[in-house]
């Protein structure tokens, strides 16, 4: 066993990680198949479905609807004029790629979406490793990518959902930002904005990064011509933690005026990209609020920033503790962001985590799908790997994540009618 492990360690990084990712997906597939054997009566198929039917439920049916029939020109409404659930809530890039693959190969649409999800998930793991290598040693970066691959909601990376495609594009965009390839990041960000609603927090991230880079050097900018020295890192940064490597890009090097203008341009493109899909929905339907009206159908009420967190807190913890719970959650996350392992992620990845969490606090209606929506916080997987180089610790994290996959699939993916009807969505 030790000899086999030593030989495996000599493999190229992409082969090591690719094998580990596929092994993780095989474990998740076994969990899906075991849960399918326990699946009873449901809205989609007879009890005890096979694996392929079992993974093509929930939002996968909506993506298949978009692939086959596109988007409605007019928003569907009930007799009272209330907008009903419809395809505008689901971004177009994933089903468009599925339609193209079906046209090229002739395979079934569900199979096309599954193939794209699987390949995107594998590619995302490889890009995430390259991103993590800018802040960590090879072994620590590999463990961080493995943590992402085995995360409790990682089974979603192999079902016909857009999460794996969005994760690939998000990781690629962050990698290009860390490498200061701001112009190259622009088309990637536009594609990302058409895969899932991550454009708003990404625009906030690069906008704040621009201010962070340019503010200390405004006097130099006003004189013009001279290169600008970028800040070495976040204020109050702590010394490197275990497993951290020297940054692969010059985090304490020089930012030229051209780089700053490119970063400003990326901020503008990201902002426009965030508005792209709501704008398309408006142009097609003629309703300025077509996208937001559709999104809020699943909530059962209009969007009011922050309020759903307090409503859910009261529902879970009572009228007093429930109002305090969101503040406790935010305080805990701030403490996490100030911890040494998270500080070691660097300014770009920390900013992304902050902006994405703020985005969730402002716009998200917290419910069972929230677990899946935490996947874009994947940089925190590297901070988890920074905690200790112990194989026992890192192996325990992987085992714990796989056990929690069981909980996620059995509790949320498998369908079981609630007393009031319906079921909790994954």
């Amino acid at each position: 066993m030790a000899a086999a492990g030593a030989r495996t360690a000599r493999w190229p990084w992409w082969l090591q990680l690719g094998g580990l990712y596929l092994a993780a997906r095989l474990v998740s597939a076994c969990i899906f198949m075991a849960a399918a054997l326990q699946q009873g009566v449901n809205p989609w198929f007879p009890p005890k479905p096979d694996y392929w039917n079992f993974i093509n439920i929930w939002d996968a049916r909506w993506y298949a609807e978009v692939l086959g029939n596109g988007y409605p020109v007019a928003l569907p409404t009930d007799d009272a004029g209330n907008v009903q659930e419809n395809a505008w809530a689901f971004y177009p890039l994933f089903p468009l790629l599925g339609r193209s693959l079906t046209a090229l190969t002739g395979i079934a649409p569900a199979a096309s979406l599954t193939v794209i999800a699987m390949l995107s998930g594998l590619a995302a793991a490889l890009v995430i490793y390259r991103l993590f290598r800018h802040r960590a040693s090879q072994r620590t970066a590999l463990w961080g990518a493995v943590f992402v691959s085995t995360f409790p909601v990682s089974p979603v990376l192999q079902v016909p959902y857009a999460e794996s495609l969005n994760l690939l594009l998000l990781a690629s965009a962050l990698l290009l930002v860390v490498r200061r390839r701001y112009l190259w990041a622009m088309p990637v960000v536009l594609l990302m904005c058409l895969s899932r609603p991550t454009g708003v927090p990404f625009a906030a991230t690069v906008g704040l990064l621009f201010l962070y880079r340019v503010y200390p050097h405004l006097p130099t900018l006003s004189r013009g011509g001279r290169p600008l020295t970028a800040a070495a890192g976040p204020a109050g940064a702590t010394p490197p933690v275990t497993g951290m490597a020297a940054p692969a890009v010059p985090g304490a090097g020089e930012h030229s005026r051209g780089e700053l203008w490119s970063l400003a341009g990326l901020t503008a493109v990201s902002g426009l990209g965030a508005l792209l899909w709501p704008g398309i929905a408006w142009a097609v339907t003629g309703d300025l609020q077509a996208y937001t009206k559709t999104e809020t159908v699943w909530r059962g009420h209009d969007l009011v920033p922050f309020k759903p967190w307090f409503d859910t807190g009261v529902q879970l913890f009572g009228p007093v503790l429930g109002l305090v719970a969101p503040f406790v959650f935010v305080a805990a996350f701030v403490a996490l962001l100030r911890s040494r392992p998270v500080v070691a992620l660097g300014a770009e990845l920390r900013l992304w985590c902050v902006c994405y969490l703020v985005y969730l606090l402002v716009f998200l209606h917290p419910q069972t799908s929230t677990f899946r929506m935490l996947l874009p916080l994947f940089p925190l997987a590297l901070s988890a790997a920074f905690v200790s180089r112990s194989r026992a610790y890192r192996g325990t994290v992987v085992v714990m994540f796989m056990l929690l996959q069981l909980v996620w699939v059995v509790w949320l993916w498998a369908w079981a009618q609630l007393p009031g009807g319906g079921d909790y969505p994954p």
Side-chain angles (χ1 to χ4, degrees):
M1 182 67 71
R7 287 195 300 271
T8 302
R10 291 194 293 270
W11 291 356
W13 69 266
W14 55 267
L15 188 57
Q16 294 183 53
L17 180 55
L20 291 169
Y21 180 83
L22 293 176
R25 299 284 64 79
L26 179 59
V27 171
S28 299
C30 292
I31 293 173
F32 274 125
M33 288 186 283
L37 292 176
Q38 308 302 317
Q39 176 65 69
V41 176
N42 62 87
W44 300 289
F45 37 66
K48 297 184 178 180
D50 61 26
Y51 172 80
W52 302 107
N53 275 316
F54 192 57
I55 65 171
N56 277 278
I57 59 176
W58 299 106
D59 289 355
R61 293 301 178 103
W62 281 108
Y63 285 115
E65 167 70 17
V66 174
L67 189 155
N69 302 312
Y71 295 91
V73 175
L75 295 178
T77 58
D78 61 16
D79 294 338
N82 300 310
V83 175
Q84 301 297 289
E85 295 178 359
N86 67 86
W88 283 109
F90 300 90
Y91 282 56
L93 183 60
F94 182 55
L96 179 61
L97 291 176
R99 181 183 297 175
S100 301
L101 183 59
T102 293
L104 287 173
T105 64
I107 63 177
S112 293
L113 293 175
T114 304
V115 168
I116 292 168
M118 281 290 294
L119 293 178
S120 297
L122 175 59
L126 299 177
V127 174
I128 286 170
Y129 169 85
R130 297 304 303 168
L131 175 62
F132 286 176
R133 278 292 285 126
H134 282 271
R135 302 300 305 178
S137 64
Q138 179 178 355
R139 181 170 294 276
T140 299
L142 183 64
W143 274 104
V146 169
F147 286 175
V148 176
S149 303
T150 56
F151 193 64
V153 299
S154 64
V156 78
L157 300 177
Q158 66 197 74
V159 303
Y161 272 45
E163 265 74 7
S164 55
L165 178 62
N166 180 255
L167 185 65
L168 168 61
L169 294 169
L170 172 61
S172 300
L174 289 172
L175 176 60
L176 290 167
V177 168
V178 168
R179 290 180 172 177
R180 300 180 188 172
R181 303 292 190 263
Y182 304 125
L183 295 178
W184 285 101
M186 292 180 184
V188 177
V189 169
L190 288 177
L191 290 175
M192 181 192 74
C193 290
L194 292 174
S195 63
R196 276 192 58 78
T198 46
V200 170
F202 192 88
T205 299
V206 292
L208 290 173
L209 182 64
F210 171 75
L211 295 176
Y212 173 71
R213 297 300 188 196
V214 76
Y215 179 75
H217 310 289
L218 288 177
T220 306
L221 270 178
S222 65
R223 291 193 297 271
R226 296 175 60 187
L228 307 174
T229 301
T238 58
V241 298
T242 302
M244 182 178 175
V249 293
E254 293 181 344
H255 257 76
S256 67
R257 293 184 68 186
E259 285 177 327
L260 287 173
W261 280 114
S262 297
L263 182 55
L266 177 60
T267 301
V269 168
S270 301
L272 291 174
L275 300 174
L276 186 57
W277 184 236
I280 292 172
W282 174 22
V284 173
T285 65
D287 189 332
L288 175 61
Q289 297 179 304
Y291 173 72
T292 53
K293 285 180 179 178
T294 299
E295 276 286 355
T296 54
V297 169
W298 276 267
R299 304 177 182 217
H301 53 76
D302 294 336
L303 172 65
V304 180
F306 300 106
K307 183 176 181 292
W309 288 91
F310 292 98
D311 293 340
T312 301
V314 170
Q315 181 182 354
L316 294 176
F317 305 111
V320 178
L321 292 179
L323 296 177
V324 177
F327 295 103
V328 173
F329 172 74
V330 171
F333 195 82
V334 170
L336 175 66
L337 290 173
R338 293 176 61 86
S339 66
R340 290 182 63 203
V342 178
V343 169
L345 294 177
E348 295 87 353
L349 298 186
R350 288 179 74 206
L351 271 176
W352 163 251
C353 292
V354 170
C355 292
Y356 186 70
L357 177 70
V358 171
Y359 169 79
L360 293 182
L361 289 172
V362 174
F363 296 108
L364 180 67
H365 175 69
Q367 32 92 20
T368 48
S369 293
T370 303
F371 300 114
R372 173 168 54 90
M373 295 179 187
L374 295 178
L375 191 59
L377 291 172
F378 73 89
L380 296 179
L382 181 59
S383 63
F386 280 147
V387 170
S388 173
R389 286 190 295 182
S390 165
R391 289 186 179 180
Y393 159 75
R394 291 172 171 177
T396 299
V397 171
V398 170
V399 172
M400 179 189 68
F401 280 174
M402 289 183 173
L403 291 175
L404 289 174
Q405 286 184 35
L406 274 167
V407 176
W408 187 80
V409 172
V410 173
W411 176 36
L412 295 178
W413 190 267
W415 194 88
Q417 184 168 323
L418 297 171
D423 190 18
Y424 296 121

